[in-house]
Amino acid sequence: PPAAENTLVSGSKLHRMSETNRITVGILCGGGPAPGFNGVIGAATLFALDRGWRVLGFLEGFKYLMQGRSDPAIYKDLQLEDVTRIHVVGGTIIHTSRANPTKNPEHVANCVRALRELGVNHLITIGGDDTAHSSMTVAAASGNIHVCHVPKTIDNDLPLPGSVPTFGFRTAQAKGHKVMRALMKDAKATQNRFYIVVAMGRAAGHLALGMGMSSGAHLTLIPEEWGDRPILFSEIADIVETTILKRIAQGRPNGVIVLAEGLVERMPVEEIERVFAFGGQDIPRDEHGHIRLDEIELGMQVREEMKRRFKGRERMSFIHKNVGYELRCADPIPFDVEYTRTLGYGAIKFLESGGTNSLICVVGNRLSPIPYDQLVDPVTHRTATRIVDIDSMQFRVAQEFMIRINDHDLTLGSPLLARMAEVAKMEPQAFIDRYTSAIHPFSHWDFNGQ
C-alpha cells in the first residue's frame, strides 16, 4: 500500500510528506538550566512542524539515549499545543541533565543506535561546552546525523564572536542585580552588616562582575584578576578584610561583597583540601570532571575567616549567600525571549540547508553558524573559554567604583590610614606592612588604559 501521508496546515501553507521520507529532528538540553531554554525549544518546534518535520524532545538530555533506550517514555513527540507560549516561561519542558556519553564509547554507540531506531536525521542540542562536545562526538560516530548546537550558559563563558552573549546571561544578570540591590538595602538598614555573596561562574567572572557592577556592590572579585597565577584563600580574605575596614573607616559599616565561585577552581588542589577541610577525601566532581562548586562553601569559609579576624574589633555581622540557582529558571527578560526564538529558528534553518557540526549564533543581527572545530582548543580538544578582559573599559569602570585600598590609603599621615589602623587595632606602620599586598592592582590606570 502507498505510504501514509502527513498533512500539516499552518496559515496558508500546506505541507505533505510521506511518513517514510519524513524528517525527524531531536531536541535535547544539557547541563544546568538557563533562562530561555523553552524559547529555543518552542521556536525550533514550531518552525520544524511548519515544514512537516517530526520533533522529538528527549527527556533529561543524553541520560536515556546513552542507555540505548528508544521507547516512548524517554521523549515527547512535540506538537503545537506542547510549545505554545512557552517562550516566556523559565525552565525547560523536556528537562535537562549533566549526563555525559563521551566517557564511555559504548554510551556513544548507544546514543547513535537509539537515534537511528527513532529515525532521527537531525539533532539540536542546547547547552554549554560539555553538551556541545557530547553532541559533536555522537554526530561523528553516527556518520549521518546532522547536529546544530545552541550555546547557553548564564556564565557567558563560551567564545562567541565579539561581545555576543550566551543566552540566559542577560536574564541572570538582571535577576541577580535585583537580589544584590535588596541585600544592599538590607545591609544599610540594619548597619554593621556585610553580605558575602558567591555568584555562579565556574571558569569566568562575567556574571559576578555584571551583578556587582550593575548593582554598585562594594567589591567584586573574579579569577581573571589573578592572571595565570594560582589563587590563595588568604589573598581573597585580605582583600575582603581591607574593603570592610575601609568601609568602616569611612563611616559606612555595611556593604555587599561579590565573589565569583570560579575563584575556587583556580586554587591549587592542596589549598582546596586545606581550606575546605576535605581531610584526604576526594574533592567532589560532576560527570564531566568539574569540581562541584556548590559543595564547596566559599562564602561560608570567607564569612568564618572574617568573624575570626574581626574578633575583638568593632562588632560586625557577616552573612554569606550563594546566588545562582534562583537565576537559572527565571522567566527570561525580553532580550533573551527574542534572542532564543531567533536561535531556535536559526537552528532549524541551518539544518534544513544541510549544515552540521556547528554552533548557531546571532552576530550583527544575522544568523551566523560557527563550525565547532573553530571553537575547540587544539591542546585540550575542548571548547575554549571566554574570560573577562581585564583590560576592557567595562572592567576598569567596575574597578574604579569598588571600595579597595590603594597606595594613597596607605600613606603615613593619612587620616583614613589612621582610622583603618584604629579599627584593625594596629599601628599605622604595622597596618601598611600587613596589607600592602592587598593594594588595588589597577589603581594606576590612566584614561588611556596605561
Side-chain angles (χ1 to χ4, degrees), residues 189-221:
T190 54
Q191 287 295 318
N192 289 21
R193 173 169 294 183
F194 286 86
Y195 281 97
I196 299 165
V197 177
V198 177
M200 282 189 169
R202 174 180 299 281
H206 296 285
L207 183 58
L209 187 66
M211 287 168 45
M213 183 178 182
S214 65
S215 65
H218 301 104
L219 171 68
T220 301
L221 289 181

Side-chain angles (χ1 to χ4, degrees), residues 122-439:
H122 302 310
L123 181 64
I124 296 173
T125 56
I126 312 168
D129 54 346
D130 291 320
T131 306
H133 176 66
S134 295
S135 65
M136 300 304 161
T137 301
V138 169
S142 75
N144 60 359
I145 296 175
H146 287 206
V147 171
C148 179
H149 183 71
V150 181
K152 71 84 202 169
T153 170
I154 65 172
D155 296 349
N156 197 34
D157 60 358
L158 295 180
L160 306 185
S163 59
V164 175
T166 52
F167 84 74
F169 170 68
R170 292 300 184 200
T171 296
Q173 179 190 14
K175 304 297 183 182
H177 162 88
K178 291 184 178 180
V179 173
M180 299 292 296
R181 291 297 300 158
L183 293 178
M184 292 180 72
K185 290 178 182 178
D186 187 274
K188 187 174 182 179
T190 54
Q191 287 295 318
N192 289 21
R193 173 169 294 183
F194 286 86
Y195 281 97
I196 299 165
V197 177
V198 177
M200 282 189 169
R202 174 180 299 281
H206 296 285
L207 183 58
L209 187 66
M211 287 168 45
M213 183 178 182
S214 65
S215 65
H218 301 104
L219 171 68
T220 301
L221 289 181
I222 61 175
E224 289 89 337
E225 185 173 316
W226 273 259
D228 295 328
R229 288 196 302 112
I231 299 173
L232 300 180
F233 179 78
S234 60
E235 295 174 320
I236 298 171
D238 284 350
I239 297 171
V240 171
E241 181 188 10
T242 50
T243 288
I244 294 170
L245 288 170
K246 187 171 181 177
R247 284 285 291 172
I248 296 171
Q250 292 173 331
R252 301 181 181 92
N254 61 78
V256 175
I257 291 163
V258 185
L259 308 176
E261 67 174 0
L263 291 164
V264 174
E265 285 266 345
R266 295 282 304 282
M267 292 181 186
V269 171
E270 58 273 16
E271 179 82 348
I272 296 174
E273 292 174 342
R274 180 187 65 81
V275 172
F276 301 100
F278 282 101
Q281 299 179 21
D282 290 338
I283 297 172
R285 297 180 182 272
D286 66 16
E287 293 86 344
H288 294 274
H290 303 307
I291 295 174
R292 288 189 179 276
L293 296 175
D294 58 335
E295 296 185 26
I296 296 180
E297 292 286 355
L298 175 61
M300 183 178 71
Q301 203 65 32
V302 172
R303 181 199 68 184
E304 293 302 308
E305 181 65 12
M306 291 305 105
K307 289 170 64 177
R308 185 187 69 79
R309 293 189 182 197
F310 276 81
K311 187 176 182 180
R313 297 174 177 174
E314 293 192 26
R315 184 176 179 82
M316 291 290 146
S317 174
F318 301 106
I319 301 173
H320 76 283
K321 178 174 178 58
N322 293 337
V323 176
Y325 285 108
E326 57 267 67
L327 312 179
R328 303 194 307 172
C329 285
D331 291 343
I333 61 174
F335 174 89
D336 277 321
V337 171
E338 179 181 347
Y339 187 18
T340 53
R341 298 202 95 187
T342 302
L343 292 172
Y345 164 89
I348 295 297
K349 198 73 175 173
F350 173 70
L351 292 170
E352 185 182 39
S353 70
T356 189
N357 296 345
S358 296
L359 278 68
I360 193 72
C361 302
V362 178
V363 181
N365 206 31
R366 291 181 179 275
L367 288 166
S368 179
I370 303 175
Y372 180 68
D373 289 346
Q374 292 184 12
L375 302 174
V376 175
D377 187 302
V379 177
T380 64
H381 303 292
R382 304 301 295 271
T383 310
T385 300
R386 174 169 62 188
I387 61 175
V388 172
D389 180 3
I390 62 172
D391 291 321
S392 68
M393 183 58 68
Q394 178 204 20
F395 185 73
R396 297 181 180 203
V397 171
Q399 290 285 328
E400 178 64 29
F401 295 107
M402 292 182 196
I403 306 299
R404 299 182 64 165
I405 60 169
N406 53 47
D407 288 332
H408 301 298
D409 298 334
L410 298 190
T411 301
L412 281 174
S414 161
L416 181 61
L417 170 62
R419 176 60 181 144
M420 287 193 295
E422 180 185 358
V423 174
K425 297 190 179 302
M426 302 171 68
E427 292 298 319
Q429 184 60 57
F431 189 95
I432 293 172
D433 294 341
R434 171 65 181 83
Y435 293 114
T436 295
S437 61
I439 285 179

Side-chain angles (χ1 to χ4, degrees), residues 44-89:
T45 298
L46 291 172
F47 197 41
L49 291 175
D50 196 47
R51 271 147 174 68
W53 294 10
R54 185 186 185 196
V55 184
L56 302 181
F58 292 106
L59 304 179
E60 299 184 59
F62 285 104
K63 180 177 179 179
Y64 301 111
L65 290 172
M66 60 191 274
Q67 296 172 13
R69 291 179 56 182
S70 58
D71 55 281
I74 75 157
Y75 62 84
K76 287 185 177 181
D77 205 326
L78 294 174
Q79 304 298 322
L80 176 66
E81 57 270 21
D82 296 312
V83 298
T84 299
R85 316 313 301 170
I86 67 170
H87 59 286
V88 295
V89 180

